[in-house]
Amino acid sequence: MSLLRDLLNSSVSSNTSANSGRDVVVPQVHRVDADAVKLKTQIHQDLLKKFDLSMMEEISDDQLRQRLASFVEDSIKERRLELTDTQRRNLVTSIQNEVMGLGPLEPLLADPTVSDILVNGPNTVFVERKGKLELTNVKFTDDEHLLRIIDKIVSRVGRRVDESSPMVDARLPDGSRVNAIISPLALDGAAMSIRRFPSVPLSVHDLVDYGSMTAEMAMLIAAMVKSKLNILISGGTGSGKTTLLNVLSSFIPDDERLVTIEDAAELRLQQPHVVRLETRPPNVEGNGEVNQRALIRNSLRMRPDRVIIGEVRGAEVLDMFQAMNTGHEGSMATIHANNAHDALTRLENMVGISGISMPVRPLRQNIVSALTAIIQASRLSDGKRKIMSILEITGMEGDTITTQEIFRFQQTGIAADGSVVGRHRSTGVRPRFMDRLLAHGSVLPERLFDPDGSR
């Protein structure tokens, strides 16, 4: 039936055409017949009126899917529509996704190659695959449809989004991180970004295989974690900080008690003794907020061996220093910064904007006492993520924090296909914390720090 041609073709087109010299790849977008979209909307509205939604919580997902399929089949018969088997399946799947999932986003969420989903209003949805952006043919019916999907996401984790609170951070059941912003702040319709994580967490072997670090760097990082050094992971948006923090946590012994603190829970630690804490935004009346600072303070009363902070971004930095300096060695956190030295400056600035007045020298002494190393992660121009630097904080000279770089990534050029050319290598510096590693049983070969021994 021509009226329903390409009915609800919810799968994302895989046909792409490279946009030379640009990061955005635009696929051949299949036009979905407006009447087909209208039909799906009508059946969905009928379902809301006639279907007993109260029993959704009383039956299994498989039973619910079957009942939804039967309802759609009955609706097709009532309308006397002549559809092909493919059109019927697409319509049933679309309605099931709308009721049980996130509507038109479900095919993208089911695609393991998609790392980011970026919704710019109801008619424009991009995805990231292998570090590159691609425009999809996924569309929402209208602004209201997109807002319903956003509300479904945030309500699952007890958050809200409306005109009085138009920005929200949330997460999906699989741990994917969601940020949404709506009118009046978003001028062209609601915008949403979904940062996805692999269903099977990446291991240190994966990062070595991908070229994100060398085997020598992995050996050093594993020894640092096992020896309970306090580590800060620095990087920009999308640089892989959370992934790297998950990988580092895999070296923590199973007999330690860990407390994680996050704004939106996305860490997936594999240890058996983990207590996960998450901040809470204020309610409609502006009350009830629980921020990271309060959680860090409370965590110190929970007898943690280590405190893992998803991202430090404000006044809680002082409480993080307190934890690291009072017997919770081996704690870790991430921070937004372009390089390791900028990360140190950001730590100082966070204390300043918190309204707490502290002389420069005592503040920097706090930083030096708390942190042993900074690991810098970056996403390069070809979309690949790499550890750019492992930096040791060695002490102070006067009022200046002194550091030394142990490993770095040296970029030497760009290949014809746009990929970054370069290599990781040791700087030849033997870290001062080697005695600490030896005391905790981590014996590293001296060749590890040979500048000509790293690839």
Side-chain angles (χ1 to χ4, degrees):
M1 185 175 179
S2 61
L3 175 67
L4 298 171
R5 189 172 53 252
D6 297 329
L7 174 66
L8 303 172
N9 183 8
S10 58
S11 62
V12 181
S13 169
S14 61
N15 297 324
T16 59
S17 59
N19 222 0
S20 61
R22 299 177 62 185
D23 286 343
V24 177
V25 180
V26 181
Q28 298 287 335
V29 179
H30 295 300
R31 184 176 64 87
V32 179
D33 196 303
D35 289 323
V37 175
K38 183 177 179 181
L39 172 63
K40 191 201 79 167
T41 302
Q42 289 175 348
I43 292 179
H44 185 226
Q45 290 174 345
D46 288 347
L47 185 145
L48 294 176
K49 294 176 183 177
K50 302 176 183 179
F51 198 76
D52 183 9
L53 299 178
S54 62
M55 57 80 180
M56 288 177 56
E57 298 180 357
E58 301 174 2
I59 62 176
S60 67
D61 287 348
D62 289 339
Q63 289 175 318
L64 179 56
R65 287 186 180 278
Q66 186 58 47
R67 295 196 185 188
L68 289 172
S70 298
F71 182 91
V72 174
E73 290 291 345
D74 291 342
S75 297
I76 292 173
K77 292 177 182 178
E78 288 179 10
R79 288 172 169 79
R80 298 180 179 178
L81 300 174
E82 297 179 2
L83 306 181
T84 66
D85 290 342
T86 299
Q87 290 170 339
R88 286 174 181 270
R89 284 195 301 269
N90 285 338
L91 182 56
V92 168
T93 300
S94 182
I95 293 297
Q96 289 172 336
N97 288 341
E98 200 67 41
V99 175
M100 303 178 63
L102 301 182
L105 296 182
E106 281 298 317
L108 302 180
L109 293 170
D111 186 345
T113 67
V114 172
S115 56
D116 282 324
I117 301 173
L118 308 172
V119 181
N120 304 340
N123 299 316
T124 308
V125 178
F126 283 86
V127 296
E128 180 188 285
R129 288 187 177 92
K130 298 181 179 179
K132 297 292 185 178
L133 292 179
E134 301 176 9
L135 178 66
T136 74
N137 65 343
V138 172
K139 297 181 185 297
F140 295 84
T141 306
D142 50 29
D143 286 320
E144 184 179 349
H145 184 198
L146 174 54
L147 288 173
R148 284 201 307 270
I149 297 299
I150 292 175
D151 186 65
K152 181 183 289 189
I153 293 172
V154 302
S155 61
R156 287 173 175 172
V157 291
R159 307 273 169 116
R160 65 186 180 87
V161 60
D162 50 39
E163 288 190 4
S164 63
S165 180
M167 297 184 295
V168 66
D169 286 312
R171 67 180 183 278
L172 298 180
D174 65 358
S176 299
R177 182 172 61 197
V178 180
N179 175 270
I181 183 168
I182 67 172
S183 176
L185 302 184
L187 302 181
D188 300 319
M192 176 170 57
S193 61
I194 301 177
R195 172 67 53 79
R196 303 187 63 208
F197 299 98
S199 56
V200 177
L202 294 178
S203 68
V204 65
H205 302 292
D206 294 323
L207 297 190
V208 172
D209 291 341
Y210 296 156
S212 298
M213 67 172 85
T214 64
E216 292 79 9
M217 295 167 69
M219 290 175 62
L220 177 62
I221 289 173
M224 291 165 62
V225 175
K226 292 175 182 177
S227 302
K228 306 192 77 170
L229 303 186
N230 294 327
I231 299 171
L232 184 67
I233 299 173
S234 169
T237 300
S239 60
K241 298 187 298 298
T242 302
T243 297
L244 185 56
L245 184 55
N246 274 319
V247 169
L248 262 62
S249 70
S250 68
F251 300 118
I252 299 175
D254 287 345
D255 60 353
E256 294 189 23
R257 174 176 167 86
L258 312 179
V259 176
T260 67
I261 298 167
E262 303 174 82
D263 279 331
E266 54 194 37
L267 291 174
R268 288 183 286 178
L269 275 59
Q270 306 303 308
Q271 285 73 13
H273 200 163
V274 179
V275 179
R276 304 169 70 216
L277 306 180
E278 185 179 56
T279 61
R280 185 177 69 186
N283 58 22
V284 179
E285 292 77 24
N287 302 319
E289 179 182 13
V290 179
N291 56 29
Q292 283 200 130
R293 188 167 196 188
L295 291 180
I296 294 175
R297 287 178 174 177
N298 187 78
S299 72
L300 301 185
R301 306 183 186 101
M302 300 174 65
R303 197 233 168 261
D305 289 306
R306 307 188 196 218
V307 177
I308 313 295
I309 304 172
E311 181 183 336
V312 59
R313 55 165 63 95
E316 69 272 7
V317 66
L318 285 172
D319 301 282
M320 180 185 77
F321 295 155
Q322 175 94 358
M324 292 178 170
N325 283 322
T326 55
H328 304 92
E329 296 176 319
S331 295
M332 293 180 278
T334 74
I335 189 172
H336 272 276
N338 293 327
N339 56 62
H341 290 99
D342 283 353
L344 293 172
T345 303
R346 281 215 68 207
L347 291 174
E348 294 183 30
N349 291 339
M350 287 176 187
V351 176
I353 63 176
S354 69
I356 299 173
S357 178
M358 180 180 291
V360 171
R361 184 175 177 80
L363 171 58
R364 291 178 178 173
Q365 286 174 333
N366 258 294
I367 295 174
V368 170
S369 297
L371 293 173
T372 305
I374 300 176
I375 301 177
Q376 179 69 33
S378 293
R379 180 172 61 176
L380 305 183
S381 58
D382 59 359
K384 295 180 181 178
R385 296 166 173 85
K386 293 185 182 294
I387 292 180
M388 303 300 291
S389 172
I390 299 178
L391 191 79
E392 180 186 16
I393 299 175
T394 56
M396 291 187 65
E397 290 183 1
D399 290 341
T400 304
I401 297 175
T402 57
T403 62
Q404 60 182 13
E405 197 170 34
I406 304 169
F407 282 95
R408 71 164 65 105
F409 177 78
Q410 292 182 328
Q411 181 174 336
T412 57
I414 302 290
D417 61 357
S419 60
V420 172
V421 178
R423 58 173 288 195
H424 287 102
R425 64 175 299 169
S426 167
T427 61
V429 173
R430 187 178 186 273
R432 295 187 183 182
F433 55 68
M434 282 294 290
D435 291 341
R436 173 73 176 266
L437 303 189
L438 288 171
H440 283 77
S442 295
V443 181
L444 301 179
E446 287 297 327
R447 64 173 177 79
L448 206 69
F449 307 106
D450 181 1
D452 298 322
S454 302
R455 57 180 171 85

